[in-house]
Amino acid sequence: MTAYDDQNIFAKILRGEIPNVTVYEDDDTLCFMDIMPRTDGHCLVIPKTPCRNVLDASDAQLASVMSTVKKVANAAKTAFDADGITVQQFNETAGGQEVFHLHFHIHPRHDGVSMRPPGKMGDMEAIKAHAEKMRAAL
Ligand code: 5GP
C-alpha cells in the first residue's frame, strides 16, 4: 500500500497551515466543513493522526472517528431537521478517494432531495452558517 503523504490537504488543515471551518473536535478527531458541499451541512470527520483510509487505519483510529461520526450525524439531523443522514467514505483512487487522509463525509438528507454534483465550491458565508447550526446542536 502507498505510504501516507503528509502534504495532503487534510494534514495541512491539521497542522493549521490552511484554514477550516470547524464543527467539532476532541483529542483524537476533527470535524470540519467540506468546501465543495454536496448537501447543506456536508462535513468531514478525520482522525488527528495519520492514515490514508480504512485499509491502513488502526482499530483505535476507526473507533474514535466513528464515535465522532455518530455524534455529528445526530447533531446534523437535529440542526437541519433532516429525514436521514448519508455517511460516505472512499478508499484509494479506484474507490473514489481524492484526499488521502482517512475521512468520512456526513450529509444531512431530506426526502426526495438529491445531493448536488461534486466539485463546485460552496458559498463560504453559507458554509459558516451551516457549521454554526451544527455546533449549536452538539
Ligand atoms: P474524497 O477524497 O472522499 O473523494 O473527497 C475529498 C473531499 O474533500 C471532497 O468532498 C472535497 O470537496 C473536499 N476538499 C478538498 N479540498 C478541500 C479543502 O481544502 N478544504 C476542505 N474543507 N475540504 C476540501
Side-chain angles (χ1 to χ4, degrees):
M1 182 161 181
T2 312
Y4 180 83
D5 175 6
D6 69 3
Q7 294 307 306
N8 77 75
I9 203 90
F10 296 167
K12 291 180 181 178
I13 285 175
L14 284 168
R15 290 195 295 268
E17 293 169 10
I18 61 170
N20 77 92
V21 178
T22 298
V23 175
Y24 171 83
E25 78 177 302
D26 58 25
D27 288 347
D28 301 314
T29 65
L30 174 69
C31 175
F32 57 98
M33 300 303 284
D34 197 298
I35 49 165
M36 291 179 256
R38 299 191 59 196
T39 53
D40 290 352
H42 180 181
C43 58
L44 304 165
V45 178
I46 67 174
K48 288 187 171 176
T49 49
C51 60
R52 280 174 73 82
N53 52 46
V54 157
L55 302 172
D56 66 335
S58 68
D59 290 354
Q61 285 173 316
L62 291 171
S64 60
V65 165
M66 287 314 296
S67 172
T68 298
V69 166
K70 178 179 174 179
K71 197 173 293 189
V72 175
N74 277 297
K77 188 168 182 298
T78 301
F80 292 91
D81 196 22
D83 299 310
I85 298 289
T86 297
V87 176
Q88 282 183 315
Q89 194 278 321
F90 306 107
N91 299 280
E92 299 300 326
T93 304
Q97 187 175 13
E98 294 182 349
V99 178
F100 296 97
H101 181 108
L102 174 66
H103 55 281
F104 285 77
H105 299 254
I106 295 177
H107 296 280
R109 302 299 301 275
H110 296 90
D111 290 335
V113 180
S114 298
M115 292 193 346
R116 297 186 287 268
K120 187 168 180 290
M121 281 296 289
D123 174 83
M124 279 315 292
E125 289 313 307
I127 287 172
K128 285 178 186 167
H130 295 154
E132 180 53 40
K133 278 168 73 131
M134 285 192 280
R135 283 195 297 269
L138 274 163

